[in-house]
Amino acid sequence: MSMESEVAAQIYRLQELHNRFAAGEYEEMNALYSEDFQGTLYMPSSGTIETYNANQIREGNKEAAAYYKGQRFRFIFSGVTVIPQSENQAAVSYAITYINGAKVVRALSLETWRQEADGVWRMLRWHEEKGQ
């Protein structure tokens, strides 16, 4: 399987795992973040940029799973683009659409994924720009 296919498969698995928040699940998602993870999230509603390390993003996923448990919503990832940077690292971008009833939020995600020593592709860096 090509690097592009392997990384794209991880992105689509990440989408599935976001949708599993409704069942209170987050552990498998948390395994997809590198210990070296660094992330930023821009939320226009607050006008701030939030930063996350590996522990913080994992705790945020745990909280999200508790919040979304039992709710009906969907995360849809589209326009996935994978650009190899080296033999074990790739830049990835895609659009996210979050739908919960009448509420629709769109975002753009830019990520760096790295194949780590155990052969698993994990997210190393993440920057997301959310819409209102």
Side-chain angles (χ1 to χ4, degrees), residues 58-101:
R58 290 177 182 136
E59 184 61 28
N61 288 336
K62 180 180 178 181
E63 292 170 4
Y67 173 80
Y68 287 116
K69 189 172 184 176
Q71 293 187 38
R72 294 183 53 147
F73 61 88
R74 276 183 66 200
F75 284 90
I76 302 166
F77 293 4
S78 60
V80 174
T81 301
V82 178
I83 301 171
Q85 296 178 308
S86 68
E87 65 184 33
N88 68 342
Q89 187 168 294
V92 179
S93 66
Y94 55 94
I96 301 167
T97 303
Y98 166 77
I99 303 168
N100 188 345

Side-chain angles (χ1 to χ4, degrees), residues 30-72:
N30 280 355
L32 295 179
Y33 294 94
S34 172
E35 290 301 321
D36 300 324
F37 176 83
Q38 299 172 21
T40 58
L41 171 64
Y42 173 67
M43 303 269 299
S45 59
S46 65
T48 60
I49 296 175
E50 300 174 4
T51 60
Y52 298 88
N53 63 28
N55 291 332
Q56 291 166 322
I57 198 72
R58 290 177 182 136
E59 184 61 28
N61 288 336
K62 180 180 178 181
E63 292 170 4
Y67 173 80
Y68 287 116
K69 189 172 184 176
Q71 293 187 38
R72 294 183 53 147

